[in-house]
Amino acid sequence: MKFFILLFILSAIDSLSYATGHGIFTQSQTDSMVRSLTLENGLFQADPTIFYDNGYYYLYGTNGDGDKQLGFKVFRSKDLKQWAGPIGAKAGFALVKEDVFGTKGFWAPQVWSEQGKFYMAYTADEQIAIAISDSPMGPFKQGIAKTLIDGGKQIDPYVFRDSDGKKYLFHVRLVEGNRIFVAELKDDYSGIKTETLKECLHAEKAWENTAGSTWSVSEGPTVVKQGNHYYMFYSANDFRNKDYAVGVAVADNVYGPWKKIETNPLLSQHTSGFAGTGHGDLFQKGQQWYYICHTHYSDTQVAPRRTAIIPIDLVSDRQSGIAIPKFDSSKFRLLELVNQSDEPIDVAFGDPFILYDQPTDLYYLYGTGGTKNGFIAYSSKDLRHWKEAGKVYDGNQAKGWGIKDFWAPEVYAINNKYYMYYSAHWKENPGNKLENYRIGVAVADSPLGPFIDLTGKPLFDPGYPIIDANVFRDVDNRNYLFYSRCCYEHPVTSEIADWAKSKWGYNAIEESWVYGIELDSSMQHVIGKPVLLIRPPARMCDAQSEWESRSVSSGEINRRWTEGSFLIHAKGQYYMMYSANYFAGANYAVGYATAKSPLGSYEKSQTNPIIEKNTDRGGTVSGTGHNSIFKDREGKLRCVYHGRTTKTGDKRMVFIRDIDFSQNNQLRVLTD
């Protein structure tokens, strides 16, 4: 039987201006595209369905991202709340076009099981086909790539098994509009019995064609049997129409006649509150029925379509025996994907940074570690499987100014060039300082380098050691550099410092602070003087003091860090993420602060920390921090950071997680 797909939907960004991909400092063509594609964290599945097997719910649907022509992805959950995936047998896909009929337009899958095999009915090239697998995760294949029906165009298959064991194919035929038909299937699913083909219904009511189109649409059939009656849930209007909505028809026979319920549409933008509500499926959990459907992304934009769930009451009328489905609109909700996995990707880096490069259509991962006196990189097509690409920056070069401790590279695409900002120990060290760190910039013609230093010296010298460069271009095209002043030789006086010295006998408490400074249009020279933006709390009563002081309060070390800053512009304000506590300890964690301008007055979030160890909650991850944000191929925001696991020990590993914003504009990283 056919089921549903869940999609969580999150707030869209008001605006977004941060370094994340080729053309990184070029504003999007329209603000609506930025708002629509930046902060969706989850499944973009239209025409949703779910299949239950052996304790797991499996989700399939029409992809709403850049992979929509490749086949069908699958996601899995035990409780309908926490979803993992995509977990399909072929790089997340349960079905790929190379194994079956079809080259494009992979739409509206349905999965069911029979005699130990799993079947998928689907649309491709406006034809219907059925593929088979030994697992709900696929791969679904056809021995011979073929369609189920010869001639004409058909979409939206729904296979229904009646109480007498006969199987029927409800589907949509493109004949003088989108019309819903039914035909009995052959027992081996090799085709339909053409003599049984019959039209069920087409769009003829006013609500079914609000645009007055000459090509009316009725589609997305789902059929269930309750008692002696058959109920068909279907959608009407073009899917791009805000009035795309759901109606129900009832029949005493699988062939009809199908009588539409008088109170249709039963689910629409007026009852759900979302435009383009339709093409769903029924699912029963226990005694409760649910309808799963997709909606438009927003009132002004159709794609990517979002998935939602709503409870349905199918209690029959006592006199007629016919159930009038009642959608509980008060419980209509957009559903959420949360990644609970403790597993990192198989890359041992600290301070990770990911660039999506449009010309090569690849992701590039940079970080601290993997080589001496420079940096290596990894490349990936899917963010899951990474290939080492070799050394991309070598400090032993003609204009190299650093001699050791090459840390925290970030790479930005600017005017068809690639600029790497990084930290290193400056060889000009007349005072023989132990920490003589500065920030430099190197350029390359490729994401894989070789990156060549531009000037033979650091970007600038503030007179104290600095690390962790982050570059940001604002909506007004002004450029900024953010960095961390090192703890080295930076003792502070504060209530917390006095307490820690008294508690543990420390001579001094040293701190690192985050600063910002403006850059000129060349991105190679600073303008003005640095501005202090974020520092650890000074008073014990500060709400942030507990989590930002864990390394000191535990007696681990006499330093408090504020480092690894990263800025984005969203929801009409500036979000600066930063890391606190000992970078080599278990308490390393991430928080954020907001301001009205890049160099403005930052207020720390009450929800801090937003990334931290989970070992005290039964997890395996600790030492989480130094994150950055990137935009993936589909425009979704992702967070990348390093952490340690009980399996990897002291080795820093890379984690990639989704992010979103709550209704109160609070930034969240979906870790566990």
Side-chain angles (χ1 to χ4, degrees):
M1 62 183 296
K2 192 175 181 183
F3 297 93
F4 71 93
I5 289 196
L6 307 181
L7 166 69
F8 84 82
I9 304 305
L10 307 161
S11 302
I13 292 183
D14 289 327
S15 60
L16 181 65
S17 303
Y18 69 102
T20 171
H22 187 79
I24 194 168
F25 296 117
T26 301
Q27 295 185 35
S28 301
Q29 292 182 353
T30 64
D31 288 342
S32 63
M33 284 300 292
V34 172
R35 287 193 294 268
S36 66
L37 294 176
T38 48
L39 282 179
E40 293 298 340
N41 303 293
L43 306 175
F44 292 91
Q45 305 288 302
D47 316 327
T49 189
I50 191 171
F51 170 72
Y52 180 82
D53 180 69
N54 196 29
Y56 285 98
Y57 298 91
Y58 294 89
L59 295 92
Y60 313 80
T62 301
N63 294 319
D65 53 27
D67 296 323
K68 61 186 176 183
Q69 305 296 354
L70 302 181
F72 300 102
K73 297 176 182 177
V74 57
F75 299 79
R76 185 172 68 179
S77 172
K78 282 189 174 181
D79 59 3
L80 299 178
K81 297 178 181 178
Q82 312 296 333
W83 292 92
I87 47 87
K90 289 198 169 183
F93 286 82
L95 178 147
V96 294
K97 65 181 180 180
E98 289 80 4
D99 293 338
V100 295
F101 166 83
T103 60
K104 61 183 184 301
F106 285 85
W107 302 335
Q110 177 201 3
V111 174
W112 69 96
S113 63
E114 188 173 314
Q115 297 180 349
K117 295 289 185 180
F118 299 87
Y119 295 79
M120 177 185 286
Y122 68 96
T123 303
D125 295 335
E126 296 185 322
Q127 299 286 321
I128 291 171
I130 294 179
I132 305 175
S133 174
D134 293 324
S135 166
M137 293 183 289
F140 286 86
K141 297 183 177 181
Q142 289 181 308
I144 300 175
K146 62 178 182 178
T147 60
L148 189 66
I149 304 171
D150 294 328
K153 294 181 178 181
Q154 309 91 30
I155 62 173
D156 295 356
Y158 183 84
V159 175
F160 172 77
R161 182 187 288 271
D162 207 348
S163 53
D164 60 4
K166 291 183 178 180
K167 295 171 286 191
Y168 299 88
L169 178 71
F170 288 86
H171 60 287
V172 174
R173 290 186 164 238
L174 278 58
V175 181
E176 297 179 349
N178 287 18
R179 296 169 177 249
I180 298 176
F181 283 72
V182 66
E184 186 177 351
L185 280 163
K186 296 178 181 179
D187 289 339
D188 61 355
Y189 297 111
S190 61
I192 63 171
K193 299 179 180 179
T194 56
E195 69 274 13
T196 66
L197 182 65
K198 184 177 181 180
E199 181 177 343
C200 299
L201 58 85
H202 61 274
E204 55 187 353
K205 302 289 186 179
W207 75 268
E208 295 173 329
N209 189 5
T210 61
S213 174
T214 57
W215 186 278
S216 62
V217 173
S218 56
E219 59 185 21
T222 294
V223 176
V224 295
K225 187 177 183 181
Q226 288 282 93
N228 296 323
H229 301 288
Y230 300 83
Y231 297 84
M232 179 191 295
F233 290 72
Y234 68 98
S235 298
N237 289 301
D238 187 288
F239 75 92
R240 292 161 293 193
N241 189 334
K242 289 183 179 181
D243 292 323
Y244 196 61
V246 178
V248 175
V250 184
D252 297 330
N253 187 288
V254 72
Y255 292 107
W258 291 90
K259 183 178 180 181
K260 298 174 182 178
I261 290 178
E262 295 278 342
T263 53
N264 282 339
L266 301 184
L267 182 64
S268 68
Q269 66 169 328
H270 302 294
T271 55
S272 71
F274 293 86
T277 305
H279 199 136
D281 199 2
L282 285 177
F283 167 70
Q284 192 174 21
K285 183 179 181 182
Q287 298 300 310
Q288 180 63 59
W289 286 91
Y290 295 92
Y291 187 75
I292 306 305
C293 62
H294 67 241
T295 75
H296 289 179
Y297 178 83
S298 69
D299 286 340
T300 59
Q301 184 171 313
V302 175
R305 287 173 288 175
R306 322 189 298 186
T307 307
I309 185 172
I310 182 171
I312 299 178
D313 183 359
L314 288 179
V315 177
S316 300
D317 179 83
R318 292 184 178 180
Q319 293 184 346
S320 66
I322 296 176
I324 306 298
K326 297 180 180 179
F327 291 85
D328 189 350
S329 298
S330 66
K331 296 181 180 180
F332 183 95
R333 70 184 191 276
L334 303 164
L335 297 176
E336 183 172 346
L337 170 68
V338 178
N339 191 339
Q340 284 192 308
S341 173
D342 277 356
E343 291 299 316
I345 65 173
D346 190 23
V347 175
F349 263 167
D351 319 322
F353 181 89
I354 291 178
L355 165 75
Y356 171 64
D357 182 55
Q358 291 180 347
T360 58
D361 192 30
L362 290 174
Y363 297 96
Y364 296 92
L365 171 60
Y366 310 88
T368 302
T371 187
K372 291 184 177 180
N373 297 325
F375 304 104
I376 64 172
Y378 288 77
S379 64
S380 174
K381 184 71 173 178
D382 58 11
L383 293 176
R384 293 183 296 275
H385 306 93
W386 293 88
K387 177 181 178 182
E388 185 176 337
K391 199 164 189 176
V392 297
Y393 173 83
D394 192 334
N396 296 320
Q397 56 178 275
K399 292 185 177 181
W401 57 269
I403 56 174
K404 64 177 182 177
D405 296 341
F406 289 83
W407 296 339
E410 295 192 356
V411 176
Y412 307 93
I414 310 170
N415 299 328
N416 298 317
K417 295 285 187 179
Y418 298 85
Y419 290 79
M420 173 185 284
Y421 293 81
Y422 65 93
S423 309
H425 194 281
W426 190 12
K427 61 186 179 184
E428 292 189 14
N429 189 11
N432 197 28
K433 301 292 187 181
L434 294 177
E435 297 184 12
N436 195 40
Y437 303 122
R438 298 296 187 272
I439 289 167
V441 57
V443 67
D445 294 325
S446 163
L448 297 180
F451 285 88
I452 306 301
D453 281 300
L454 288 172
T455 64
K457 60 182 180 180
L459 190 64
F460 79 113
D461 181 11
Y464 47 80
I466 60 174
I467 59 173
D468 298 350
N470 172 233
V471 174
F472 174 83
R473 172 163 287 183
D474 203 2
V475 293
D476 60 2
N477 293 323
R478 294 172 70 180
N479 308 307
Y480 298 89
L481 171 72
F482 301 97
Y483 64 87
S484 177
R485 172 176 182 168
C486 296
C487 292
Y488 178 67
E489 295 185 349
H490 191 218
V492 299
T493 300
S494 69
E495 181 183 356
I496 292 177
D498 291 343
W499 173 87
K501 288 188 288 185
S502 174
K503 173 72 175 177
W504 303 110
Y506 294 135
N507 292 325
I509 300 299
E510 297 179 313
E511 293 182 352
S512 64
W513 298 351
V514 169
Y515 287 80
I517 191 169
E518 190 170 353
L519 291 173
D520 68 3
S521 59
S522 74
M523 316 296 292
Q524 301 173 37
H525 305 285
V526 299
I527 300 173
K529 295 182 179 181
V531 178
L532 173 62
L533 301 178
I534 303 177
R535 58 169 293 183
R539 299 181 59 83
M540 303 285 283
C541 62
D542 191 309
Q544 308 290 328
S545 65
E546 186 279 323
W547 80 272
E548 291 195 38
S549 304
R550 290 171 183 172
S551 293
V552 167
S553 62
S554 66
E556 181 179 36
I557 199 167
N558 69 324
R559 287 180 166 182
R560 293 201 298 167
W561 281 264
T562 308
E563 63 179 18
S565 58
F566 196 93
L567 189 70
I568 65 172
H569 185 208
K571 315 298 290 183
Q573 58 187 345
Y574 297 83
Y575 292 76
M576 178 171 286
M577 304 179 76
Y578 64 94
S579 297
N581 295 300
Y582 184 31
F583 61 87
N587 293 310
Y588 202 47
V590 176
Y592 76 91
T594 58
K596 295 301 182 181
S597 65
L599 299 179
S601 176
Y602 280 87
E603 179 180 354
K604 296 179 180 179
S605 171
Q606 296 180 354
T607 63
N608 286 342
I610 60 173
I611 308 175
E612 62 177 328
K613 65 182 181 181
N614 63 14
T615 50
D616 53 354
R617 305 191 300 273
T620 65
V621 181
S622 64
T624 54
H626 199 123
N627 76 287
S628 58
I629 305 297
F630 69 99
K631 188 163 60 175
D632 69 11
R633 181 182 291 108
E634 284 75 48
K636 293 185 294 183
L637 284 184
R638 303 288 186 91
C639 178
V640 57
Y641 59 93
H642 73 241
R644 297 173 175 86
T645 73
T646 53
K647 184 187 299 184
T648 58
D650 290 336
K651 187 184 297 183
R652 291 184 291 183
M653 304 300 294
V654 175
F655 292 78
I656 301 173
R657 294 293 183 262
D658 292 335
I659 71 172
D660 76 344
F661 291 87
S662 72
Q663 291 182 348
N664 296 325
N665 296 337
Q666 295 170 337
L667 174 62
R668 301 183 296 184
V669 179
L670 306 180
T671 55
D672 61 4

